[in-house]
Amino acid sequence: MHNHGGEIYSHHYKLDYSVNVNCMGTPASVIEAAAKGAALSAQYPDVNCGELRSALAEFQQVKESQIVFGNGAADVIFSSILARKPGKVLVPAPTFAEYEQAAKVVGAQMVYYILKEENEFRLDEGFLDALTPDIDMAFLCNPNNPTGQLVEKKELFRILDRCAENDIFLVVDECFNEFVEEPEKYSLIKHLEQYDNLLILKAFTKTYAMAGLRLGYGLCSDQDFMAKMAECNQPWAVSIPAQFAGVAALKETEYVAQSMSILREERIFLKAELLRLGFRVFDSQANYIFFKAAADLKEACGKRDILIRDCRNYVGLAPGYFRVCVKRHEENLELVRVLEEIVNG
């Protein structure tokens, strides 16, 4: 159920391409801040995440009351489902599995809008028609995981308006937004006040390579819904090390800029190399690449101590679809070398 890649605790590996965190690794300032927090482990964490909340509100230009924190974005997904208690949930497929897993906790019926390979797995007009009055909640991942495809803001507005007409609460997952070119073109954060049927998911996990610290958050203008989410949350969901680390991470603007510079070049390089090797490569705009190859590619890579993400357990995908993150050039060269060795037998 929890197969998301990152099987480093059960597999010997040299390079892990199966998870999508920042290729530059965790900033030194974040590690130092987390260590300071760990030294205070005898204390309970601040239930309200006061310092972190203030810093994040300023960083995202939102009200402090519009922020809910969690033990990673996955935690916020579960608390949103528990707060809403939907009877029927709509998701595109393929997409991030945690939406469905959370919905199952409350016994919600899942409705899948199947994305088509011939359309590069992009969301199309038909999704609007799927937003019928019997749907209580819908999820969109933008850019989508695992495909890396984006939905532009004008289309998001149409979806939000249709959701408002039919009393559907929309959750938009922007956890990979920082990795796309011109992220503001696809983010709804500046429009939070316009829609009280919207929850935006964000996380420190991917942007600042903080997966092990577990720090995510949601943004919403509906204060009644936020109060319900708070009731569904455990009181100390965010540890002291994670709170300290989050405050430090928000100051790492140069780190994020350098990361994007590396990603921009390496994403182009890796896409071109995968195409050269004969794989069917889709136009991912995130820090990972989605492609199609022989169904046994994961096993072949594993024998060479390279972990990649087999996407066959995503709803809507058959065996033969894979996802690899974008790393630094030397590491990407090693991945290409291994893939070339496999392709050429």
Side-chain angles (χ1 to χ4, degrees):
M1 180 176 64
H2 296 298
N3 178 19
H4 298 100
E7 299 166 347
I8 60 173
Y9 302 107
S10 57
H11 292 75
H12 182 270
Y13 75 102
K14 182 167 56 178
L15 287 173
D16 182 9
Y17 270 82
S18 66
V19 294
N20 310 314
V21 298
N22 193 314
C23 65
M24 287 182 64
T26 315
S29 66
V30 171
I31 295 172
E32 182 181 346
K36 288 180 180 177
L40 301 175
S41 292
Q43 302 174 194
Y44 279 96
D46 176 2
V47 172
N48 295 313
C49 302
E51 185 180 359
L52 176 60
R53 183 179 300 275
S54 176
L56 184 62
E58 183 177 353
F59 182 83
Q60 293 288 14
Q61 291 297 289
V62 298
K63 297 174 183 176
E64 292 189 18
S65 61
Q66 294 173 334
I67 304 170
V68 59
F69 288 104
N71 188 244
D75 191 28
V76 182
I77 293 168
F78 276 79
S79 59
S80 71
I81 286 281
L82 290 169
R84 185 74 179 183
K85 293 185 174 61
K88 190 177 284 189
V89 175
L90 173 69
V91 295
T95 197
F96 188 50
E98 237 69 14
Y99 313 141
E100 179 180 0
Q101 289 180 15
K104 285 180 177 178
V105 171
V106 297
Q109 178 186 344
M110 296 302 301
V111 179
Y112 303 102
Y113 183 78
I114 302 298
L115 305 175
K116 300 177 179 63
E117 180 175 338
E118 56 266 31
N119 193 35
E120 293 272 321
F121 293 101
R122 292 188 179 92
L123 199 72
D124 57 33
E125 288 279 330
F127 188 74
L128 283 172
D129 297 328
L131 293 165
T132 51
D134 59 326
I135 300 293
D136 300 300
M137 201 167 184
F139 284 83
L140 278 180
C141 190
N142 196 33
N144 192 27
N145 180 4
T147 65
Q149 296 288 12
L150 284 160
V151 181
E152 292 197 6
K153 203 178 286 187
K154 63 180 181 180
E155 296 306 318
L156 291 170
F157 289 151
R158 294 178 66 197
I159 291 168
L160 275 163
D161 289 339
R162 180 64 58 88
C163 286
E165 290 170 12
N166 291 328
D167 194 26
I168 300 170
F169 193 82
L170 180 67
V171 181
V172 178
D173 187 337
E174 294 189 3
C175 285
F176 290 101
N177 176 263
E178 281 81 4
F179 294 114
V180 307
E181 300 288 342
E182 300 181 283
E184 65 282 351
K185 284 180 60 177
Y186 307 96
S187 175
L188 290 169
I189 291 177
K190 290 183 179 179
H191 307 278
L192 207 60
E193 297 278 2
Q194 295 172 232
Y195 297 95
D196 61 3
N197 62 327
L198 169 67
L199 173 69
I200 299 172
L201 293 175
K202 299 287 289 183
F204 289 75
T205 306
K206 314 300 191 304
T207 309
Y208 303 102
M210 287 170 53
L213 282 164
R214 311 306 307 140
L215 180 57
Y217 59 98
L219 303 172
C220 182
S221 63
D222 184 340
Q223 292 303 296
D224 290 338
F225 182 71
M226 293 293 269
K228 289 179 182 177
M229 283 186 69
E231 290 174 4
C232 295
N233 245 348
Q234 55 171 314
W236 300 288
V238 183
S239 69
I240 298 174
Q243 291 187 37
F244 280 27
V247 173
L250 294 174
K251 300 173 184 176
E252 287 286 345
T253 53
E254 182 60 28
Y255 161 89
V256 174
Q258 289 177 0
S259 303
M260 274 305 302
S261 179
I262 294 171
L263 171 61
R264 191 176 294 114
E265 292 184 11
E266 292 304 310
R267 183 168 51 204
I268 294 170
F269 167 77
L270 205 46
K271 281 182 180 179
E273 289 298 296
L274 292 173
L275 283 167
R276 180 181 65 82
L277 292 171
F279 300 129
R280 167 83 160 94
V281 180
F282 299 93
D283 191 27
S284 171
Q285 299 301 308
N287 65 327
Y288 48 86
I289 298 172
F290 182 60
F291 66 102
K292 194 174 183 181
D296 63 350
L297 184 64
K298 178 186 175 182
E299 290 72 24
C301 287
K303 290 175 182 177
R304 294 160 174 83
D305 296 332
I306 302 286
L307 302 182
I308 67 172
R309 177 66 160 94
D310 188 331
C311 297
R312 71 178 68 200
N313 68 329
Y314 281 88
V315 174
L317 293 180
Y321 293 93
F322 301 92
R323 189 196 68 203
V324 293
C325 62
V326 179
K327 290 183 175 288
R328 294 183 185 231
H329 192 62
E330 288 186 5
E331 295 168 311
N332 293 334
L333 284 173
E334 177 63 11
L335 174 65
V336 170
R337 185 194 68 76
V338 166
L339 293 175
E340 194 157 24
E341 182 181 297
I342 294 169
V343 168
N344 294 333

